[in-house]
Amino acid sequence: MNIVTGSTTALITPFKNGKLDEQTYADLIKRQIKNGINAVCPVGTTGESATLTYEEDKRCMEIAVEVCRGTDTKVLAGAGSNSTAEAIEAAKTAQKCGVDAIFSVAPYYVKPSQEGLYQHYKSIAEAVPELPFMLYNVPGRTVVDITADTVIRLFDDVKNIYGIKEATGSLERSVELLSRRPELKVFSGDDAIDYPILANGGAGITSVTANLLPDLKSELVRLALSGDYKGSKAINDKLFPINKALFLESNPIMIKAAMYIAGLIKTLEYRLPLVAPSAQNMKILEEVMKNYEIKGL
């Protein structure tokens, strides 16, 4: 099983007149490849997956696979739902599109038990047994936490579950997981704490900030995984102000605004109920961005 690790970017989904802007999407992925990102992640939280149609989901994955074909950059696609049956269909669609691996968000709104989470993930992963599979734990959005015990049970019992995107914001959780299963691939799902998770044995990151600064994010990971912790920490520290600014409002509101300010997307469009940031937060973002060199398309 050829797993995905390293620096990965939770791609935004650009819209034009309310529809997926396919050309800009492809160009943004090419920019990620050019700047050393190991994998792109279409249709995750940052990609506004909750408000994309099934056809848009599929098209985003198809474009990512097409653009990354023949390069060293892989495709780690989102395939999650609060319905297990829908998540299985999403995983099968991702597999048909030719993605390299999938990550699946914990089922939101329904608030399942830990046994429910176990059965949910086991069912999805076993429906696509040849596809490397990552759990995605983000309780701030889903209102359910995949506990360490459940993660380890899934990792031990299901062959293709190889890792987890940890977006709890808890360093303790990552320490616990890796102390109990060092071979588990733990990804940082919180930009501000990429370095400490990597320094503790994490295998990669899934970054929002990498949409804007893929060169710095890919280098941060490369240095950490090669043992240059001082160099990795220096980049993590440098990125702290922009990481903070990009979460002044719910993701992906600020990162899409930043991409617009930088000229990387031509139109600033969201799917309701998301709307553009406040004028105050836009001003803060513009000021912070002046401290960084943002490479173009």
Side-chain angles (χ1 to χ4, degrees), residues 83-238:
S83 160
T84 304
E86 284 188 9
I88 288 171
E89 286 306 307
K92 288 180 177 178
T93 297
Q95 186 175 45
K96 288 175 186 174
C97 289
V99 307
D100 298 285
I102 59 174
F103 65 98
S104 189
V105 70
Y108 41 87
Y109 188 77
V110 292
K111 298 179 75 173
S113 66
Q114 291 302 307
E115 180 62 26
L117 286 170
Y118 174 83
Q119 296 296 341
H120 173 80
Y121 278 119
K122 186 171 186 288
S123 297
I124 306 166
E126 289 182 345
V128 286
E130 296 176 357
L131 196 60
F133 191 104
M134 287 193 74
L135 311 172
Y136 175 17
N137 194 26
V138 57
R141 284 187 179 262
T142 63
V143 203
V144 63
D145 180 22
I146 315 170
T147 65
D149 286 344
T150 300
V151 172
I152 288 165
R153 185 182 172 201
L154 284 162
F155 179 67
D156 288 348
D157 292 355
V158 186
K159 185 178 179 182
N160 56 324
I161 293 179
Y162 76 95
I164 183 168
K165 176 184 172 183
E166 254 300 318
T168 57
S170 169
L171 288 174
E172 182 180 343
R173 177 63 60 82
S174 294
V175 171
E176 179 181 2
L177 288 170
L178 287 165
S179 70
R180 295 172 65 180
R181 293 295 184 278
E183 63 274 28
L184 177 71
K185 304 304 181 186
V186 174
F187 278 33
S188 168
D190 290 288
D191 278 284
I193 56 174
D194 285 349
Y195 164 72
I197 287 180
L198 291 167
N200 182 60
I205 68 170
T206 300
S207 170
V208 173
T209 305
N211 280 282
L212 189 68
L213 296 161
D215 52 331
L216 291 181
K217 280 293 186 175
S218 61
E219 183 67 0
L220 183 158
V221 176
R222 188 191 70 78
L223 291 173
L225 295 182
S226 67
D228 184 355
Y229 297 118
K230 184 176 180 180
S232 180
K233 183 179 184 299
I235 296 175
N236 201 78
D237 290 347
K238 179 180 180 178

